[in-house]
Amino acid sequence: MTALPTRAEWLFSFKNYAAAMLALFIAMGMGLPRPFWAMLTVFVVAQPLSGAVRSKAVFRLLGTALGAAAAIALVPLLSNAPELLSLALALWVGACLYLSLLDRTPRSYVFMLAGYSAALIGFPAVSQPETIFDVGLARVIEISLGIVCGTLVHSLVFPQGLGPVLLKRLDAALADARAWMRDALRGGRDAKSDRDRRKVASDITELRVLSTHLPFDTSHLRFTSHSLRALQDRMALLLPVLAAIEDAVAALRAQGGLSADHAALLDDIAAWEPADGASSADAARMQLADAQRAALKTRIHACTPGVDATSSWRDLMAFHLCARLHELLDARMESWRLRAQIGSVARGGPARLTVGMTRVIRARFGTPFHRDHGLALLSAFAAVIAILVCCAFWIGTGWPSGSAAALIAAVFCCFFATQDDPAPSIKTFLAYTIYSLPLSAFYLLVVMPAINGFGMLALATAPAIIAIGIFVARPKTTLRAMALLFGFGSTLSLHDTGTADLASFINGNIGQIAGTAAAVLITQLLRSVGAEWTARRLLRAGWSELAAMAGARGPSAARAVAPQNSANRMLDRVGLLAPRLALSSVAEHQVAADAFQDLRVGDTIAQLQRARPLLQDGELALRRLLRALSRHFGDLSAGRFRAAGLAGARGAPGPAVLAALDRALRAIVAGPASAARDSAVIALAGLRNSLFPAADAYVGPMAAPRPLRAVPEAEPLHDR
């Protein structure tokens, strides 16, 4: 049973209707040739969140203007050679789609709109190339009117700000991270905790995408975009730390268990809450949190064993664990400060940053998103072929409505290119476009000829637009409702509503259906891939990046030692893996574990690259280890390890890697004490435990068991 419309759904639908009528009224008043393009554009740009509408509006305007310029340049130049013109426009759409898919921010709309706007303007003007400038200018004005009117209405009339939604998701991500932290510190790992880890990664990726709209939002939160991105980076770097702590605790438990002092320390860290992150960051609570952190760090330092040539594997794991606990406390404190600052600004407070938070913000650089050049090229190629197939049939048959097929193919190949398999969505659009034909025919052939004023037009179209708009607001029915609106709106946009007849209606809609069908067929043949195929590509992309990081030398090593770039991209890949694993039939637990292991290994390699130039002893052994790791991950990326299915895609590192790792560890622990040596030991111990959890315990050059230092007496922090 269909649920009754909610207040939010009614409001969203009425705002779309008001924006559509405003755009249509202005377009008709200006005497534009196809005013319904303005109305249709309102539906295309509609978003429930006003910040998302505004952020995309500017880029849509730029893309439309760029696409019109391309059409105006190409059509007169190649109008006498229809084959070359078809090829030029198809290549333009493909190139723009490729660039759009590489940029997963609102900027991508510049390229996407530039691509299919050229098709929308260029193909219908082929028969009259001398009018291309007038047609292009009119189309830009019509589309721009729709964008501007939609943006104004959604921004001014009961705007739904992005801020509250973003804060709610941010707090949910922080809560998930805290839950995983407690499980990691207390040694509880099961299938639920693995799902929680993947959920945290997905949360951070979703927050990154949402926060790209933040500067355009209507709430006070728009002043915190830098703080929010810094907090996301803190969370991204926290995940490999938590994973390393989880592994270290499990390893120490397997070697006889944690001492009572260490167990109590881990419990106190798990119970430590700096403050309520959603409340104000008052000075007293800040000082209390700092004092608690200092007390915990003192206890961690007292628990940290010394490291030298006599250290056992248990000593090294305890040393590694204590170092990661220091990082955990610092990261949590910085995250709380940033969250408290964001909450303060959201409530209208000043957007002031402390020196420490400014340092965190300035430390971020580089793109945080994964880019798949191969899949982007494949999508662009499929779009080019679909357009050329429609153009070949159009030119070969002299079909008057062939231009509609070519432009519709361009639009749908672009709309759904971000999906692994766009064909099902395009098929749904095709089916509901066909279902919209009776409604479109009724309005075009019966209602429109009887209308003699804008008032009657607004009243006549209200039932259809508002009723369908309610279902656009529902995530489960958005695609089907948009198909109905698109079919209805494009029918009115592609026809002269004053002279349309049944023959032109049938001919034009056959063109739309043919273009959509061509997009489906070509997509199925050339572009459709499964979730498992994409997941494998994501894993191999991570392995390729690890190979490059481990093999970096000279100037490229400077980029490899900066963990934020790789951590953000790897975390993004973990977030992209989660929904694909849910759709595939593989053993998702193992694949997700592999992805998180890659995240930890990347952090470790960056740490080793930073320490390597500063080491007095062991630098040569460490360089050989990095070369071995580079070869291993290069082999994984190239698919040289054959396995059945995605769950077995990872090949275990060979004994040569383990031997190189132990040689490097022995050489470095025997060297003089220094910050670089300690950093390398921490990284190597974590790397060995991550890559070789079942291997025989490491044996140092002069190994002898030694007791851990006792923890000083202290009352539990959570009881204070």
Side-chain angles (χ1 to χ4, degrees):
M1 181 180 294
T2 303
L4 292 175
T6 64
R7 177 181 176 275
E9 291 168 351
W10 278 115
L11 180 61
F12 178 73
S13 184
F14 272 108
K15 287 198 294 186
N16 278 341
Y17 170 72
M21 291 302 103
L22 177 62
L24 187 60
F25 176 76
I26 297 174
M28 287 181 167
M30 295 176 65
L32 295 174
R34 291 286 191 269
F36 284 96
W37 274 116
M39 184 188 78
L40 179 61
T41 303
V42 170
F43 304 144
V44 175
V45 304
Q47 294 281 339
L49 300 177
S50 58
V53 176
R54 293 166 64 181
S55 73
K56 294 177 180 179
V58 175
F59 299 115
R60 290 180 192 273
L61 289 171
L62 291 174
T64 301
L66 184 58
I72 291 171
L74 292 174
V75 171
L77 184 65
L78 300 173
S79 59
N80 292 326
E83 296 84 1
L84 289 178
L85 178 58
S86 300
L87 179 61
L89 286 173
L91 290 175
W92 172 265
V93 173
C96 291
L97 178 58
Y98 169 77
L99 294 174
S100 172
L101 293 175
L102 295 183
D103 188 345
R104 292 165 51 210
T105 70
R107 287 190 306 268
S108 65
Y109 284 90
V110 173
F111 306 111
M112 182 177 290
L113 266 291
Y116 70 71
S117 291
L120 288 173
I121 296 168
F123 284 124
V126 167
S127 58
Q128 295 177 307
E130 69 279 1
T131 66
I132 183 61
F133 182 81
D134 294 334
V135 171
L137 180 61
R139 204 68 69 243
V140 169
I141 295 174
E142 291 158 2
I143 294 173
S144 299
L145 276 174
I147 294 171
V148 171
C149 291
T151 303
L152 285 175
V153 170
H154 283 280
S155 299
L156 299 177
V157 181
F158 300 107
Q160 184 178 353
L162 179 65
V165 176
L166 196 58
L167 282 179
K168 184 178 180 181
R169 295 188 184 181
L170 174 61
D171 288 334
L174 289 170
D176 291 337
R178 284 196 297 271
W180 178 30
M181 181 202 69
R182 295 189 188 102
D183 289 340
L185 291 169
R186 291 167 177 164
R189 179 171 178 178
D190 52 20
K192 180 182 180 300
S193 67
D194 288 336
R195 287 194 300 271
D196 289 341
R197 291 195 302 171
R198 297 197 297 275
K199 189 174 185 302
V200 173
S202 298
D203 288 343
I204 297 174
T205 296
E206 184 180 10
L207 284 171
R208 286 197 186 282
V209 176
L210 277 176
S211 65
T212 59
H213 304 297
L214 194 56
F216 303 88
D217 194 39
T218 54
S219 68
H220 287 286
L221 203 66
R222 66 183 181 276
F223 302 117
T224 68
S225 57
H226 292 302
S227 299
L228 182 61
R229 289 167 190 164
L231 178 54
Q232 292 163 7
D233 287 345
R234 282 291 94 192
M235 293 176 67
L237 290 176
L238 183 62
L239 293 189
V241 172
L242 281 174
I245 290 172
E246 190 174 48
D247 287 348
V249 170
L252 288 171
R253 289 185 185 279
Q255 296 173 40
L258 295 166
S259 67
D261 292 331
H262 276 79
L265 176 62
L266 292 177
D267 285 341
D268 285 343
I269 294 175
W272 177 54
E273 288 293 340
D276 183 1
S279 67
S280 61
D282 60 87
R285 301 183 77 174
M286 192 79 72
Q287 290 173 359
L288 176 61
D290 274 328
Q292 291 174 338
R293 179 178 60 159
L296 286 171
K297 289 174 80 73
T298 299
R299 294 175 65 189
I300 294 171
H301 180 73
C303 287
T304 305
V307 172
D308 55 31
T310 66
S311 298
S312 67
W313 178 237
R314 182 179 175 82
D315 291 334
L316 296 182
M317 286 309 303
F319 186 73
H320 167 75
L321 173 62
C322 290
R324 295 303 188 187
L325 290 176
H326 279 293
E327 295 178 27
L328 173 63
L329 292 179
D330 292 340
R332 289 202 65 208
M333 193 67 189
E334 289 176 346
S335 298
W336 171 66
R337 291 178 188 272
L338 287 165
R339 176 61 185 89
Q341 171 67 13
I342 291 169
S344 175
V345 176
R347 291 186 296 273
R352 290 196 300 263
L353 296 177
T354 65
V355 174
M357 286 189 283
T358 303
R359 173 182 55 78
V360 172
I361 291 170
R362 288 177 179 172
R364 72 181 308 276
F365 58 89
T367 174
F369 296 119
H370 164 73
R371 291 175 172 176
D372 192 332
H373 291 267
L375 193 58
L377 279 173
L378 186 61
S379 299
F381 178 69
V384 170
I385 297 301
I387 295 169
L388 290 179
V389 167
C390 293
C391 289
F393 185 78
W394 174 24
I395 294 170
T397 61
W399 179 28
S401 295
S403 62
L407 70 88
I408 290 295
V411 169
F412 284 114
C413 285
C414 292
F415 270 7
F416 302 103
T418 57
Q419 299 179 2
D420 291 334
D421 186 2
S425 295
I426 303 177
K427 285 180 180 178
T428 300
F429 232 90
L430 174 60
Y432 279 83
T433 298
I434 294 173
Y435 298 155
S436 73
L437 291 180
L439 178 68
S440 302
F442 174 73
Y443 270 90
L444 183 67
L445 304 177
V446 178
V447 176
M448 297 303 295
I451 289 175
N452 57 12
F454 179 79
M456 290 183 63
L457 175 63
L459 288 174
T461 55
I465 294 176
I466 293 174
I468 300 174
I470 290 171
F471 293 94
V472 173
R474 298 179 178 179
K476 291 184 178 180
T477 58
T478 296
L479 181 63
R480 287 169 284 178
M482 277 300 299
L484 290 173
L485 271 179
F486 193 88
F488 171 67
S490 60
T491 296
L492 298 179
S493 301
L494 293 171
H495 293 82
D496 185 341
T497 55
T499 61
D501 55 19
L502 182 61
S504 64
F505 170 78
I506 293 174
N507 210 20
N509 279 282
I510 289 175
Q512 289 189 60
I513 294 170
T516 310
V520 171
L521 293 174
I522 299 302
T523 296
Q524 283 184 318
L525 289 174
L526 302 177
R527 169 60 180 79
S528 293
V529 296
E532 184 173 327
W533 184 89
T534 306
R536 186 180 290 107
R537 284 185 64 83
L538 289 167
L539 287 172
R540 288 186 174 179
W543 297 332
S544 178
E545 185 158 2
L546 290 176
M549 290 176 64
R553 298 292 182 271
S556 61
R559 294 188 295 272
V561 301
Q564 192 64 66
N565 280 343
S566 58
N568 279 328
R569 283 192 296 272
M570 290 182 182
L571 185 64
D572 185 37
R573 293 186 189 109
V574 174
L576 292 173
L577 271 170
R580 289 168 172 85
L581 294 176
L583 296 174
S584 64
S585 59
V586 301
E588 61 174 288
H589 171 84
Q590 182 59 45
V591 176
D594 288 349
F596 265 94
Q597 184 185 89
D598 294 341
L599 187 63
R600 299 196 299 277
V601 171
D603 179 67
T604 301
I605 290 174
Q607 193 172 351
L608 292 174
Q609 286 282 24
R610 287 195 300 273
R612 183 174 59 83
L614 305 176
L615 291 173
Q616 298 181 28
D617 294 302
E619 194 275 339
L620 179 60
L622 184 55
R623 195 188 314 163
R624 289 171 176 167
L625 168 63
L626 289 171
R627 280 203 298 265
L629 288 171
S630 181
R631 286 193 297 270
H632 169 69
F633 287 108
D635 289 342
L636 281 175
S637 177
R640 297 190 183 99
F641 292 99
R642 297 189 176 276
L646 180 58
R650 175 185 291 280
V657 177
L658 177 60
L661 199 160
D662 284 348
R663 282 194 296 270
L665 198 49
R666 292 189 192 101
I668 291 171
V669 297
S674 68
R677 188 205 68 162
D678 290 349
S679 178
V681 170
I682 293 165
L684 289 171
L687 184 64
R688 192 184 196 277
N689 192 49
S690 178
L691 292 179
F692 304 98
D696 293 336
Y698 158 84
V699 178
M702 300 171 59
R706 52 194 296 163
L708 299 178
R709 300 176 192 172
V711 181
E713 292 294 329
E715 60 181 336
L717 288 174
H718 57 277
D719 292 334
R720 292 184 182 179

